[in-house]
Amino acid sequence: MVNVIHSAAGYPSKTVRFLHAAFDTTGEAFLAGDHHGNVYTFDLNRNRFNLVQKTGQACTALAFNLRRKTEYLVALADYSIKCFDTDTKELVSWMRGHESAVSSVSVHGSGRYAITTSTDTAQLWDLDTFQRKRKLNVRQSVGIQKVFFLPLSNIILSCFKDDSIFAWESDTLHCKYQLPVPEEGPKLHYKAFAVTQDGRVLVAGGKSNYLHLWCLDTRQLLRIIQMPPKVRTVRSMVFLPDSFDGGSSQVLGVLSQDGILRFINIQTCKLIFDIGSHDDGIGSAVIAPNGHYIVAVMENGSLNIYNVQSLTQDVNKPPPPLVKVITDFDRSKASRDPVSGLKMKVASWRVERPVKTRDSKAQTRILRPPADTLEDKENIIIVGSLVSHLWGVNWCQHWFEYFPNPPLNVLSMAENVLAHHDKELLQHLVNCGVTSQLYAWPLLETLFSEVLTREEWLKLFDNVFSNHPSFLLMAVVSYVICSRAPLIHCTLKDDFEYFFHHRNNLDINAMIKETYRLMDSTPTDLHPQRMLSDFEPLTRGQYPVFNKYPTFIVEYQSQERERIRQQELEYLRERQIAHELESEAVKRKAGDEAWYKQQELLQEAEEQRRKILLEEENKLMAQRVRLAAMKREVKVKELHVLDASRRRFLKYQQDQKKMELRRLDDEIDRKRSLREQETGTAVQDIEIRQMELEAQRRMFEQQLAKEQERVTQEVKGQVDACRRKAEIEDHMLYKLIETDAYHDIGAKTKMEEALAEADQLCTDTDWQVEMISRQQQADTDRERDHQVLARLSRGTRAKEGQILGLMKEVEGKRWEDVVERRAQLEEEKQSSVLAEARRRQFLAEEMAQAMQHEENLNRSQGESFERLRDLRVRSPNSARRLLTEPVAVEPKPQNICLNDKSSDDSSSHFSLDRGRNDLETKERELMMDVRELRQKLAARARSTVPPAYSSSTQN
């Protein structure tokens, strides 16, 4: 029908591309949006278009079938959806919520709900309140292809990129069913979908030339249609509505990658027709709900509007109706035989009209079909040219004398002619309050275009242009007289007004014949020809001067035009200001909404992070609780281990003592038996002296008994003292264990081990010695570093002197700042020196404590050695007493050997030698630990001193 191209203002060669189109519910008007944000309405009945909105952004989807007929939805490039009114051109609502471009908008059949779809979500909106009801979120790996309403139902169909299709109840949004994914056959990767008008058949296509037809009632795959090999990908599909198929929609339009829209019959799989070409491809297409028109958005950005009836004779072909039209051409004959009146049979592509002949036989004349759009345009141009030539020239004489009112003088001519030829009809019009302005002026000002068909109008004006200008007034009177019968029956003024503004059942031939009769039978004094001039030729190059109008009207009109122009300018200024204020308000509102949205997002994020932090704190508290429990458990296990070790050590000590006692008992028994032998020998030797020494022996026996009693008491006292000493040591050990529980775990463990094992003190001493040794090594390394840093510092000071000299020459004013900073540097150096002094004092104190401990240890060892030397020179009994006394040194108890008072000097010397060897071994281990401790302290000192510490100290 027509090709619409939108050229940019000022650049005729530049085209503004149309992006989307959408029909209204009637199918006689549609919306179209371009990539500049302009939205136009096209009225196919009135053959006009109108700019209804300037959004400023490219539209991504349109919907024009809302419940309020003048409202429409447009999805914009900023992911928002706006609702506008085509009449007021005002913004009705603004909906946000998508985070990507909206690809489609589906409106429910009732017009109340709408579904907007993007790649990541689909949202359901209530168009009465413009509030979002539900939101469908999907995993990012499975995108959404399309979500839309099924016709004549409340079912929502959602189609995803993995070829899965779900049906949902729109009220409850419960999943009703899912279509099974075909396991056999090629995988289509669904991209395009179409549903019949009855909502029973779904067609899906994608990246192949196959189409899947699903029956939504049985949820089964009906058939697979294979398109021609030229089709590799299906971009979109749409069903062609048919008024006579009950909504089953048998014709499907398939748009492929080559830009051609092919229409096929889904039952016979035959190609009916196609539109588009490889050179002029189609980007998208929409079909009117009534199936009369197709609007294709071409790939070049233009719009092509097609008439479906012109594309095929098999689509939308209604049965030919029989229309009876009876005119008053021969009222008497028609009243006698109404069946023999004029009949018109409407069929496809031609109009057959019986024509009355002189012998009253009907003949058929085939007329051309209605002219196409191009011819209509040409005819309109021709008629417009004729009207512009006729206006105020020949046929429009005396029309402007009462301008802007109707020409009363011309209307009086027509009324005088009507009064002469039909007084009864004129009296009826007067009685009904109908004047010539109501029955004559509408015919003249529209030139019969409202009351005649195209053929009738052409036939009438063929006669008008070939006769005197008064013929037009006679035609008006003739039209009124020929319409006498229906006018006599009218009594209301509205009926008369309607009659003279609409087409009526009138025989144009009879009207023209009546006009000629009036031209011939009207008296000269009443004839309009007397008042109107004959034909006057137009001057060449320009029109003649026309001044047959009232001058005061013209002046008044000029003044009114100036006033109206000023008002219009003022209105335009106010409108511009209003638009600017509105745009500012919209921007401010959008900014406020964006700010509030951002604040909401920030609050949500803050709340979420606060929840996460609270959860982490709870987890941390739980971990701390578990850690404390684990520590308690470890401590309990450690106490159990220490207790077991202590018990084991005590048991071992007791076993050693028992073994020593058994050895002493064995030694005593051996000595006793030896003594008995020696005594027997001595008895035999001194039998001769027995009598002499009897008295002396009794005396010695008494003394020996006393001495034995004394020794026994002394041994018992020593045993009790040892037992009390052991109890005191055990009590002190328990006290030390309880005190160490509040100190560091490592130190406490060392103390417990020291108390559990007597040689731990030696190990600590060796560690301290090693610490001192390592500290000395660290001091040596630090002294070497100090020397290097001193050399670097001397070089730095020399360079600083040079820099200071240059700075004095160039920037003398900054000397005070330099001096101040140097003073600050000296303060930092002093603080560093103080820190070094404090560190050295701390190390000195630690070394003093270590040396004091080492001296105490050496003193204890010396006392032990002195006691051992004393034992060698004393008697065996005294040695045994000395060995049973507690010793100040803290070696392991098992290293001390207790001898019986009957033990000899050899066993005593063996025990002392073994104790001395053990003490020497412990001393060597202590020295090794001290050296290792020194090394550790030196390493720790090097790791804790900052890099600039040594240099600042050296400076």
mmCIF file with all atom_site columns, all heavy atoms in Angstrom, residues 464-477:
data_model
loop_
_atom_site.group_PDB
_atom_site.id
_atom_site.type_symbol
_atom_site.label_atom_id
_atom_site.label_alt_id
_atom_site.label_comp_id
_atom_site.label_asym_id
_atom_site.label_entity_id
_atom_site.label_seq_id
_atom_site.pdbx_PDB_ins_code
_atom_site.Cartn_x
_atom_site.Cartn_y
_atom_site.Cartn_z
_atom_site.occupancy
_atom_site.B_iso_or_equiv
_atom_site.pdbx_formal_charge
_atom_site.auth_seq_id
_atom_site.auth_comp_id
_atom_site.auth_asym_id
_atom_site.auth_atom_id
_atom_site.pdbx_PDB_model_num
ATOM 1   N N   . VAL A 1 464 ? -21.287 19.657 -13.781 1.00 0.00 ? 464 VAL A N   1
ATOM 2   C CA  . VAL A 1 464 ? -21.115 20.987 -13.195 1.00 0.00 ? 464 VAL A CA  1
ATOM 3   C C   . VAL A 1 464 ? -20.101 21.795 -13.984 1.00 0.00 ? 464 VAL A C   1
ATOM 4   O O   . VAL A 1 464 ? -20.309 22.969 -14.317 1.00 0.00 ? 464 VAL A O   1
ATOM 5   C CB  . VAL A 1 464 ? -20.705 20.872 -11.712 1.00 0.00 ? 464 VAL A CB  1
ATOM 6   C CG1 . VAL A 1 464 ? -20.303 22.238 -11.157 1.00 0.00 ? 464 VAL A CG1 1
ATOM 7   C CG2 . VAL A 1 464 ? -21.846 20.294 -10.883 1.00 0.00 ? 464 VAL A CG2 1
ATOM 8   N N   . PHE A 1 465 ? -18.959 21.160 -14.306 1.00 0.00 ? 465 PHE A N   1
ATOM 9   C CA  . PHE A 1 465 ? -17.912 21.886 -15.008 1.00 0.00 ? 465 PHE A CA  1
ATOM 10  C C   . PHE A 1 465 ? -18.260 22.176 -16.483 1.00 0.00 ? 465 PHE A C   1
ATOM 11  O O   . PHE A 1 465 ? -17.635 23.036 -17.088 1.00 0.00 ? 465 PHE A O   1
ATOM 12  C CB  . PHE A 1 465 ? -16.594 21.099 -14.945 1.00 0.00 ? 465 PHE A CB  1
ATOM 13  C CG  . PHE A 1 465 ? -16.045 20.972 -13.545 1.00 0.00 ? 465 PHE A CG  1
ATOM 14  C CD1 . PHE A 1 465 ? -15.325 19.856 -13.149 1.00 0.00 ? 465 PHE A CD1 1
ATOM 15  C CD2 . PHE A 1 465 ? -16.265 21.973 -12.610 1.00 0.00 ? 465 PHE A CD2 1
ATOM 16  C CE1 . PHE A 1 465 ? -14.827 19.753 -11.872 1.00 0.00 ? 465 PHE A CE1 1
ATOM 17  C CE2 . PHE A 1 465 ? -15.763 21.874 -11.336 1.00 0.00 ? 465 PHE A CE2 1
ATOM 18  C CZ  . PHE A 1 465 ? -15.050 20.754 -10.955 1.00 0.00 ? 465 PHE A CZ  1
ATOM 19  N N   . SER A 1 466 ? -19.244 21.456 -17.007 1.00 0.00 ? 466 SER A N   1
ATOM 20  C CA  . SER A 1 466 ? -19.620 21.681 -18.414 1.00 0.00 ? 466 SER A CA  1
ATOM 21  C C   . SER A 1 466 ? -20.851 22.576 -18.571 1.00 0.00 ? 466 SER A C   1
ATOM 22  O O   . SER A 1 466 ? -21.369 22.720 -19.675 1.00 0.00 ? 466 SER A O   1
ATOM 23  C CB  . SER A 1 466 ? -19.885 20.336 -19.094 1.00 0.00 ? 466 SER A CB  1
ATOM 24  O OG  . SER A 1 466 ? -20.939 19.657 -18.448 1.00 0.00 ? 466 SER A OG  1
ATOM 25  N N   . ASN A 1 467 ? -21.342 23.188 -17.466 1.00 0.00 ? 467 ASN A N   1
ATOM 26  C CA  . ASN A 1 467 ? -22.515 24.051 -17.500 1.00 0.00 ? 467 ASN A CA  1
ATOM 27  C C   . ASN A 1 467 ? -22.191 25.386 -16.842 1.00 0.00 ? 467 ASN A C   1
ATOM 28  O O   . ASN A 1 467 ? -21.084 25.614 -16.328 1.00 0.00 ? 467 ASN A O   1
ATOM 29  C CB  . ASN A 1 467 ? -23.706 23.392 -16.792 1.00 0.00 ? 467 ASN A CB  1
ATOM 30  C CG  . ASN A 1 467 ? -24.316 22.268 -17.618 1.00 0.00 ? 467 ASN A CG  1
ATOM 31  O OD1 . ASN A 1 467 ? -25.091 22.500 -18.541 1.00 0.00 ? 467 ASN A OD1 1
ATOM 32  N ND2 . ASN A 1 467 ? -23.971 21.026 -17.262 1.00 0.00 ? 467 ASN A ND2 1
ATOM 33  N N   . HIS A 1 468 ? -23.196 26.244 -16.819 1.00 0.00 ? 468 HIS A N   1
ATOM 34  C CA  . HIS A 1 468 ? -23.079 27.560 -16.212 1.00 0.00 ? 468 HIS A CA  1
ATOM 35  C C   . HIS A 1 468 ? -22.847 27.416 -14.713 1.00 0.00 ? 468 HIS A C   1
ATOM 36  O O   . HIS A 1 468 ? -23.293 26.434 -14.086 1.00 0.00 ? 468 HIS A O   1
ATOM 37  C CB  . HIS A 1 468 ? -24.364 28.365 -16.493 1.00 0.00 ? 468 HIS A CB  1
ATOM 38  C CG  . HIS A 1 468 ? -24.240 29.797 -16.118 1.00 0.00 ? 468 HIS A CG  1
ATOM 39  N ND1 . HIS A 1 468 ? -24.556 30.275 -14.871 1.00 0.00 ? 468 HIS A ND1 1
ATOM 40  C CD2 . HIS A 1 468 ? -23.835 30.879 -16.846 1.00 0.00 ? 468 HIS A CD2 1
ATOM 41  C CE1 . HIS A 1 468 ? -24.347 31.571 -14.820 1.00 0.00 ? 468 HIS A CE1 1
ATOM 42  N NE2 . HIS A 1 468 ? -23.922 31.979 -16.033 1.00 0.00 ? 468 HIS A NE2 1
ATOM 43  N N   . PRO A 1 469 ? -22.136 28.379 -14.070 1.00 0.00 ? 469 PRO A N   1
ATOM 44  C CA  . PRO A 1 469 ? -21.912 28.272 -12.622 1.00 0.00 ? 469 PRO A CA  1
ATOM 45  C C   . PRO A 1 469 ? -23.186 28.142 -11.814 1.00 0.00 ? 469 PRO A C   1
ATOM 46  O O   . PRO A 1 469 ? -23.148 27.629 -10.687 1.00 0.00 ? 469 PRO A O   1
ATOM 47  C CB  . PRO A 1 469 ? -21.178 29.568 -12.299 1.00 0.00 ? 469 PRO A CB  1
ATOM 48  C CG  . PRO A 1 469 ? -20.474 29.924 -13.550 1.00 0.00 ? 469 PRO A CG  1
ATOM 49  C CD  . PRO A 1 469 ? -21.377 29.498 -14.660 1.00 0.00 ? 469 PRO A CD  1
ATOM 50  N N   . SER A 1 470 ? -24.319 28.578 -12.346 1.00 0.00 ? 470 SER A N   1
ATOM 51  C CA  . SER A 1 470 ? -25.563 28.420 -11.599 1.00 0.00 ? 470 SER A CA  1
ATOM 52  C C   . SER A 1 470 ? -25.997 26.968 -11.521 1.00 0.00 ? 470 SER A C   1
ATOM 53  O O   . SER A 1 470 ? -26.891 26.630 -10.726 1.00 0.00 ? 470 SER A O   1
ATOM 54  C CB  . SER A 1 470 ? -26.660 29.254 -12.257 1.00 0.00 ? 470 SER A CB  1
ATOM 55  O OG  . SER A 1 470 ? -26.873 28.822 -13.599 1.00 0.00 ? 470 SER A OG  1
ATOM 56  N N   . PHE A 1 471 ? -25.392 26.094 -12.317 1.00 0.00 ? 471 PHE A N   1
ATOM 57  C CA  . PHE A 1 471 ? -25.767 24.674 -12.282 1.00 0.00 ? 471 PHE A CA  1
ATOM 58  C C   . PHE A 1 471 ? -25.478 24.062 -10.917 1.00 0.00 ? 471 PHE A C   1
ATOM 59  O O   . PHE A 1 471 ? -26.183 23.159 -10.479 1.00 0.00 ? 471 PHE A O   1
ATOM 60  C CB  . PHE A 1 471 ? -25.008 23.936 -13.396 1.00 0.00 ? 471 PHE A CB  1
ATOM 61  C CG  . PHE A 1 471 ? -25.441 22.512 -13.578 1.00 0.00 ? 471 PHE A CG  1
ATOM 62  C CD1 . PHE A 1 471 ? -26.512 22.197 -14.406 1.00 0.00 ? 471 PHE A CD1 1
ATOM 63  C CD2 . PHE A 1 471 ? -24.791 21.474 -12.913 1.00 0.00 ? 471 PHE A CD2 1
ATOM 64  C CE1 . PHE A 1 471 ? -26.916 20.891 -14.574 1.00 0.00 ? 471 PHE A CE1 1
ATOM 65  C CE2 . PHE A 1 471 ? -25.201 20.174 -13.085 1.00 0.00 ? 471 PHE A CE2 1
ATOM 66  C CZ  . PHE A 1 471 ? -26.265 19.874 -13.918 1.00 0.00 ? 471 PHE A CZ  1
ATOM 67  N N   . LEU A 1 472 ? -24.442 24.566 -10.216 1.00 0.00 ? 472 LEU A N   1
ATOM 68  C CA  . LEU A 1 472 ? -24.102 24.024 -8.894  1.00 0.00 ? 472 LEU A CA  1
ATOM 69  C C   . LEU A 1 472 ? -25.216 24.320 -7.894  1.00 0.00 ? 472 LEU A C   1
ATOM 70  O O   . LEU A 1 472 ? -25.575 23.455 -7.078  1.00 0.00 ? 472 LEU A O   1
ATOM 71  C CB  . LEU A 1 472 ? -22.773 24.622 -8.415  1.00 0.00 ? 472 LEU A CB  1
ATOM 72  C CG  . LEU A 1 472 ? -22.219 24.084 -7.084  1.00 0.00 ? 472 LEU A CG  1
ATOM 73  C CD1 . LEU A 1 472 ? -21.961 22.582 -7.181  1.00 0.00 ? 472 LEU A CD1 1
ATOM 74  C CD2 . LEU A 1 472 ? -20.939 24.806 -6.705  1.00 0.00 ? 472 LEU A CD2 1
ATOM 75  N N   . LEU A 1 473 ? -25.812 25.534 -7.962  1.00 0.00 ? 473 LEU A N   1
ATOM 76  C CA  . LEU A 1 473 ? -26.915 25.833 -7.049  1.00 0.00 ? 473 LEU A CA  1
ATOM 77  C C   . LEU A 1 473 ? -28.149 25.026 -7.401  1.00 0.00 ? 473 LEU A C   1
ATOM 78  O O   . LEU A 1 473 ? -28.878 24.567 -6.512  1.00 0.00 ? 473 LEU A O   1
ATOM 79  C CB  . LEU A 1 473 ? -27.223 27.329 -7.117  1.00 0.00 ? 473 LEU A CB  1
ATOM 80  C CG  . LEU A 1 473 ? -26.114 28.264 -6.613  1.00 0.00 ? 473 LEU A CG  1
ATOM 81  C CD1 . LEU A 1 473 ? -26.548 29.711 -6.768  1.00 0.00 ? 473 LEU A CD1 1
ATOM 82  C CD2 . LEU A 1 473 ? -25.774 27.965 -5.175  1.00 0.00 ? 473 LEU A CD2 1
ATOM 83  N N   . MET A 1 474 ? -28.379 24.829 -8.698  1.00 0.00 ? 474 MET A N   1
ATOM 84  C CA  . MET A 1 474 ? -29.502 23.998 -9.100  1.00 0.00 ? 474 MET A CA  1
ATOM 85  C C   . MET A 1 474 ? -29.307 22.557 -8.649  1.00 0.00 ? 474 MET A C   1
ATOM 86  O O   . MET A 1 474 ? -30.270 21.859 -8.316  1.00 0.00 ? 474 MET A O   1
ATOM 87  C CB  . MET A 1 474 ? -29.671 24.067 -10.617 1.00 0.00 ? 474 MET A CB  1
ATOM 88  C CG  . MET A 1 474 ? -30.132 25.423 -11.116 1.00 0.00 ? 474 MET A CG  1
ATOM 89  S SD  . MET A 1 474 ? -31.742 25.864 -10.414 1.00 0.00 ? 474 MET A SD  1
ATOM 90  C CE  . MET A 1 474 ? -32.055 27.420 -11.258 1.00 0.00 ? 474 MET A CE  1
ATOM 91  N N   . ALA A 1 475 ? -28.042 22.089 -8.623  1.00 0.00 ? 475 ALA A N   1
ATOM 92  C CA  . ALA A 1 475 ? -27.778 20.722 -8.146  1.00 0.00 ? 475 ALA A CA  1
ATOM 93  C C   . ALA A 1 475 ? -28.124 20.584 -6.670  1.00 0.00 ? 475 ALA A C   1
ATOM 94  O O   . ALA A 1 475 ? -28.628 19.542 -6.222  1.00 0.00 ? 475 ALA A O   1
ATOM 95  C CB  . ALA A 1 475 ? -26.313 20.360 -8.390  1.00 0.00 ? 475 ALA A CB  1
ATOM 96  N N   . VAL A 1 476 ? -27.903 21.652 -5.900  1.00 0.00 ? 476 VAL A N   1
ATOM 97  C CA  . VAL A 1 476 ? -28.259 21.604 -4.478  1.00 0.00 ? 476 VAL A CA  1
ATOM 98  C C   . VAL A 1 476 ? -29.768 21.473 -4.333  1.00 0.00 ? 476 VAL A C   1
ATOM 99  O O   . VAL A 1 476 ? -30.276 20.646 -3.555  1.00 0.00 ? 476 VAL A O   1
ATOM 100 C CB  . VAL A 1 476 ? -27.728 22.859 -3.766  1.00 0.00 ? 476 VAL A CB  1
ATOM 101 C CG1 . VAL A 1 476 ? -28.246 22.896 -2.330  1.00 0.00 ? 476 VAL A CG1 1
ATOM 102 C CG2 . VAL A 1 476 ? -26.211 22.880 -3.776  1.00 0.00 ? 476 VAL A CG2 1
ATOM 103 N N   . VAL A 1 477 ? -30.516 22.291 -5.077  1.00 0.00 ? 477 VAL A N   1
ATOM 104 C CA  . VAL A 1 477 ? -31.977 22.226 -5.005  1.00 0.00 ? 477 VAL A CA  1
ATOM 105 C C   . VAL A 1 477 ? -32.472 20.885 -5.502  1.00 0.00 ? 477 VAL A C   1
ATOM 106 O O   . VAL A 1 477 ? -33.402 20.288 -4.927  1.00 0.00 ? 477 VAL A O   1
ATOM 107 C CB  . VAL A 1 477 ? -32.595 23.377 -5.813  1.00 0.00 ? 477 VAL A CB  1
ATOM 108 C CG1 . VAL A 1 477 ? -34.122 23.310 -5.776  1.00 0.00 ? 477 VAL A CG1 1
ATOM 109 C CG2 . VAL A 1 477 ? -32.121 24.719 -5.273  1.00 0.00 ? 477 VAL A CG2 1
#
